[in-house]
Amino acid sequence: MSLTALYDVAAPAKLNLFLHVIGRRADGYHLLQSVFVLIDWYDRLHFELRRDGGLARHDLGAVLPADDLCLRAARALQRLSGTALGADISLDKHVPWGAGLGGGSSDSASTLPARNRLWRLPWPRQRLLTLAATLGADVPFFVGGSPAFVEGIGDELTPLALPAQRFAVVKPAAALATADIFGSPALV
């Protein structure tokens, strides 16, 4: 029997325990150093196989941008793998946007191994990490799935063994888009 759906795939949020912006590349991306840890605040994704090659996202809560990172991840994996299969992706959004928690990046990263499994692709984690780096700066961290010292634009990961920690996370009503923060002339 072949797999036709994956339900309740968790896409966790992350915290930056610190963030140092240490430079800027010619393409505008900032070079950084940080420690990222996962926290137990999740979006939930459901994936259903489509044999017609179509890709669609269905919002189970708040309406999200039409072309979000999880759809871009699915399209990229579909194109690079050459599969004729598609997917319906249902997203139950709980991680707030505009908080630096990496919700969209995590949704994207959770899409890659789920699609890899549902489409029965033989891609190893390293190949998924390489693809993740093309999607966004935080996406490789979420594919890695463990605490890490992060460098470069977020694509250079050194896994860390950290003791168990507790965090109180408070999200005010205001939101700041990551692009707006990194687009500030006050950064390097």
Side-chain angles (χ1 to χ4, degrees), residues 16-55:
N16 295 39
L17 298 187
F18 70 88
L19 176 63
H20 294 155
V21 177
I22 60 171
R24 189 174 193 156
R25 296 187 335 183
D27 63 6
Y29 276 96
H30 286 84
L31 300 171
L32 57 90
Q33 292 178 328
S34 187
V35 170
F36 291 173
V37 295
L38 296 173
I39 60 173
D40 61 353
W41 198 346
Y42 300 90
D43 289 341
R44 296 275 178 201
L45 293 103
H46 314 291
F47 302 94
E48 295 183 33
L49 185 67
R50 288 178 61 160
R51 300 201 184 280
D52 66 357
L55 292 170

Side-chain angles (χ1 to χ4, degrees), residues 73-150:
R75 270 197 308 274
L77 183 58
Q78 186 183 51
R79 184 182 71 252
L80 292 171
S81 70
T83 186
L85 298 172
D88 281 309
I89 304 167
S90 298
L91 177 54
D92 189 7
K93 189 79 176 150
H94 295 278
V95 176
W97 75 275
L101 298 172
S105 295
S106 184
D107 297 341
S108 175
S110 295
T111 297
L112 293 174
R115 297 273 49 85
N116 192 44
R117 184 170 173 210
L118 196 59
W119 290 340
R120 291 176 294 288
L121 303 175
W123 285 36
R125 178 175 281 221
Q126 187 56 49
R127 192 166 180 193
L128 292 175
L129 278 167
T130 301
L131 174 56
T134 68
L135 297 168
D138 291 348
V139 181
F141 165 72
F142 287 106
V143 172
S146 64
F149 180 71
V150 180

